[in-house]
Amino acid sequence: MNGPAAPTTVPDEVRGQTPAPSFGPPRRAGVGGTGGPGLPRKAAASVRRVWHQLTSMRTALLLLFLLALAAVPGSLLPQRSLNPLKVNEYFTDHPSLAPVLDRLSGFDVFGAPWFAAIYLLLFISLIGCLSSRVRWHAKALVGRPPRAPARPSRLAGGQSWDSALTPPEAIEAARAVLRRRRFRVAVAAEGTTRPDGSPDFSMAAEKGYLRETGNLIFHVALVFMLVGVGLGSWFGYQGTVLVIAGDGFANTLVSYDQFSRGRLVDPAGDLHPFSLTMEQFTASYQPNGEPADFRAKVAYASELDGPIRTAEIRVNHPLVIGSAKVYLIGHGYAPHFVLKNSDGGVVWEGYQPCTPRNAMFASTCTLKIGDTGLPATGPTREPQQLAFNGVFTPTTRLDPAEGYVSTHPAANAPGLTLTGYVGNLHINEGVPQNVYSLDTRDMHQLRLDGPIGKDRTAQVLALNNPGQRTVTGLPGGMSLEADGVREFATFQTKSDPFKGWVLAAAVAIIAGLLVSMRVRRRRVWIRARPEVGPDPGTVVDAVTTVEVGGLSRSDMDGFATELQAIADEVRTATADAGRTRPQGSDPAPPSLRALRPTARPADSTEQEL
Amino acid sequence: MPVNSGFASLSDHLLGVTMVVYALAMLGYAAEFAFSRFGRTSGELLAVQHRTVASPAVGVLVAAPDRVPVTVGADATEADASGGGMVGSGPTADPAAVALAASRARSAERVAEQAALAALMAGDGADPPTPTRALWVGRIAVVLTVLGWAAHVGSVTARGLAAGRVPWGNMYEFSSMITLVAVSVYLVMLTRARVRWLGVFVMLPVVLYLGFAGTVLYVAVGPLVPALNSYWLKIHVVAAIAASGVFLVSAVTTVLYLLKDRWENRLAAVAAGRADASAAMRTRGGIMMRLPTAASLDRLTYRVIGFAFPVWTFAVIAGAIWAEAAWGRYWGWDPKETWSFITWVIYAAYLHARATAGWKGRKAAMISLLGFSALFVDYYLVNLVISGLHSYAGVK
Ligand code: HEM
């Protein structure tokens, strides 16, 4: 990076106002196919005006600001797509505000119609802007650099000198120099004349077309990326499933606990038919309880009757099966419960996953047992179903203030604090229930016997100690034992067939951007004219004035140096002779020149322009 | 991985050393500024002001719309042309001529501007004269910056060795790295151009940043949480840190631009007799005079942002790739992602603004500051206040 003293840059006025040295596309008149012949003139004109307005840089700027602004509430309000529970909390905390925000899509900002309106407008503007820029750039790519201005030496950093070569020879020599420097060069055809009728000996050279190419690639890639993101959301799906070590799932709609899919996904045919079993789950932690590593050992078959293979799924390392990827996104504990009747016969047994609550994996467990075998009681014949609420603590300690807590996330001393209920769970009534929460409306709390004494509302079990892990005193003389714990993992299956597309667009975005920010577009013009003698009209034999000038579009250093180098080379190539004028032969700025209009008689002809 | 406590405490000590040395360097740069102000009487100062105003450099800059002097140039050419009895073209016939004249006028102004600028910027003996004392203080400040930088590199390296991983895994480490990048950028600029004047303005935020990092954000050395343990992390975070360090420099130059721009406008008002030089101008003038022209600060900002923007774009994309590997979606509008996006869009708007007539200068500067504010929200408010999946701040 260079200092603040940036040398020559293109004067904006020159860029914006004149045809020759301007780099911008020609002022667009009537872009696109709007305003067909059938439309009334006025309407066509106003459509065209709106289109112009929309595809202008100023509108793009405004829409970019709007887009940034519109994204802000998405980070301040809880979003359904990220955390639906927080949205529910928000509704509880702000009962009057939340519904209003909800109607304005405040909890779904990035799917909101107004958000879509902004980015769609931006992309329409972009496409409109691009269509003309691409056409214009394509023309520039196959066309010739614009013709030299009358006095190239008057551009910033321009210079002129005398040469003994004839004008065509001088131009040829200059052409060779610029070709060697890989400029695209166009020499004025023989016989071309200037507006005043004098022969035109000039050439125009241009380099750095890649800047605009890169810029266009960047913008086009933006459009492609948006299209890829959109298609991905139509053709993609995702499912989340909780798997206890030893269990598995198949990639079908019904296997998942949660499933969502794009509107063009056919759940019968588009889901890759794999099945997967988690054989083992290992978590390791730092001594202070911070997580170090999680890995799930799985066996899977990628086709219905395909061979079984094994793999390891870790955070950051999903399993790829066809277009689907299986991610490990969470884990936790599932204690094993056995409900026995008074004879010691097993009534129910199973693993119950508990929801982790904190970093030390204290987890909430909810156990619902509908089929207890107990007779219905009372005049309304209420069923005697059992339910337990519990807190599972993998490394259990008794904290004087907070009771039983977990001090480490590994299951070193698994404990369970339980409360029990009996009554009507209202399951099997056709209304779906959250398995992780308990509705105790029609239940009453049990007094439990167990390790910490008799007739308590809560019992504390130590799962590793066979003598301290059974709750007794349940209705009908039943007992509940928590005789072990397994880890579970949460897997997410994701399929987005357009991910590769989006990635390719992202690569193009970066490539285009780098090219457009690094490459300078610059033009160099060289004009030769026969030197005029002291008496106006007499041409001095074989003496030529050579003028060099150039423009660079971007605010970049280095063009001044490059132009100087080019001028030196051209000067050497056209040397042989001549009284070389000092660099910048015309040192006085034009404002001063106005005060001495005819310093040299020759000026009168040089001013032909 | 076991933590090497020897390296860990070495890293902490070195960071302390870094902060002290940077603070001293900052004082040095500040003193150099202050000394050059005391070097002249206010009368001399105003004389210098008038001289500067008279030069075309400031003249063109203070006449806020760039077009005014240009039109003068164009008119002159026309007068010139018709005075010379130009063949076959009316006064406004050839816009190229107008453009050429305009460009010529601008180039002359540029040259004068460069000269004035060089004079104003030169820390060593040029106009305005800097007392030798101040020069030495400035040189010592540079040496201190280099020493502080070395300690800073040592601190970051020791941190990495202590943890046995890359030293950018939590906010404390990010902040240390960002300031390291900013100081490195400044040192590199120093080797290319006379930008010692920038020293105090870079070191001030750096010292504040480091102080904040060392107190509020500090966490003991530890391993990475599993979600961060990926080579995409290294790539993504390195890019994000590099871009942020460079954006920090651009924010500094933007603020300086705004100050200098205001000063130049005031100066123009004084020169035009519309206002009297205020007491503030007399006392603080020395400092403002030493800054480059507003126009060059504006260009410098553009160049710095132009460098950082592709890096930031890359960082966001690398982050998306990492998110895809870790969470199965490349973009989920997590607060961190949302604010990276907002930052990106605002800086894209800045680049557009620079290309749009009428949005250069002060409006563009506002966008640049807006972009930096969004970056700040992204780094600090999102981690500390709004939480999301990216809650790896390690701040408890
Ligand atoms: C989707 C939103 C857009 C984004 C994120 C975006 C981003 C950018 C960026 C980063 C640059 C700087 C690249 C460079 O200087 O080479 C740029 C330049 C440019 N953009 Fe966009 N752009 C967007 C939409 C548009 C639209 C709608 C237009 C048309 C009005 C447009 C026209 C341009 C032009 C003409 C340039 C070149 C500016 C120059 O000459 O420096 N862009 N854009």
Side-chain angles (χ1 to χ4, degrees), chain A residues 69-369:
Chain A
L69 194 65
V72 173
S75 76
L76 300 179
L77 293 172
Q79 297 294 297
R80 281 210 178 85
S81 56
L82 284 174
N83 197 339
L85 291 179
K86 275 209 180 142
V87 177
N88 292 344
E89 263 171 41
Y90 196 90
F91 266 86
T92 331
D93 296 347
H94 306 89
S96 53
L97 184 60
V100 179
L101 289 175
D102 198 24
R103 214 160 314 131
L104 299 171
S105 309
F107 305 112
D108 200 11
V109 165
F110 303 104
W114 46 268
F115 193 76
I118 295 172
Y119 70 75
L120 287 179
L121 267 181
L122 183 59
F123 276 85
I124 291 171
S125 163
L126 180 55
I127 290 167
C129 170
L130 280 176
S131 66
S132 52
R133 283 177 68 200
V134 166
R135 253 181 294 139
W136 180 79
H137 186 56
K139 259 187 222 148
L141 278 181
V142 296
R144 297 154 58 99
R147 309 240 316 248
R151 299 287 314 266
S153 65
R154 288 189 160 198
L155 294 167
Q159 42 191 288
S160 72
W161 60 86
D162 294 343
S163 160
L165 302 180
T166 63
E169 284 170 348
I171 291 298
E172 179 49 35
R175 197 189 74 87
V177 167
L178 284 152
R179 279 304 302 156
R180 214 167 36 241
R181 287 180 159 262
R182 324 240 275 133
F183 273 76
R184 175 178 304 188
V185 179
V187 174
E190 215 175 305
T192 323
T193 53
R194 302 288 307 147
D196 66 348
S198 63
D200 180 6
F201 303 110
S202 69
M203 53 150 279
E206 181 163 4
K207 195 173 169 179
Y209 291 81
L210 266 181
R211 183 188 175 88
E212 180 72 0
T213 310
N215 190 286
L216 289 175
I217 288 176
F218 168 81
H219 285 90
V220 170
L222 278 179
V223 176
F224 272 79
M225 178 178 265
L226 183 77
V227 170
V229 171
L231 288 176
S233 73
W234 279 351
F235 287 98
Y237 63 84
Q238 74 174 57
T240 311
V241 58
L242 184 150
V243 179
I244 295 167
D247 281 355
F249 71 99
N251 190 26
T252 56
L253 196 58
V254 291
S255 308
Y256 290 104
D257 302 328
Q258 276 170 21
F259 190 82
S260 61
R261 61 189 155 103
R263 62 191 75 158
L264 298 183
V265 174
D266 168 16
D270 289 347
L271 269 56
H272 195 100
F274 67 82
S275 60
L276 182 150
T277 307
M278 179 164 80
E279 298 185 324
Q280 199 191 344
F281 181 85
T282 331
S284 52
Y285 303 93
Q286 302 302 323
N288 69 357
E290 299 226 355
D293 190 31
F294 307 119
R295 46 190 75 208
K297 230 181 181 175
V298 299
Y300 68 99
S302 56
E303 300 295 332
L304 274 184
D305 299 310
I308 307 280
R309 271 170 284 193
T310 57
E312 202 169 66
I313 305 181
R314 288 187 285 148
V315 177
N316 288 341
H317 297 276
L319 173 66
V320 183
I321 306 174
S323 74
K325 284 188 176 180
V326 182
Y327 294 84
L328 175 61
I329 60 166
H331 70 108
Y333 289 100
H336 185 255
F337 294 95
V338 183
L339 182 70
K340 291 179 181 164
N341 58 25
S342 48
D343 311 332
V346 174
V347 176
W348 182 91
E349 69 160 326
Y351 288 95
Q352 181 57 45
C354 301
T355 316
R357 284 289 171 238
N358 63 26
M360 296 303 154
F361 274 80
S363 315
T364 329
C365 310
T366 306
L367 182 63
K368 300 183 193 179
I369 303 169

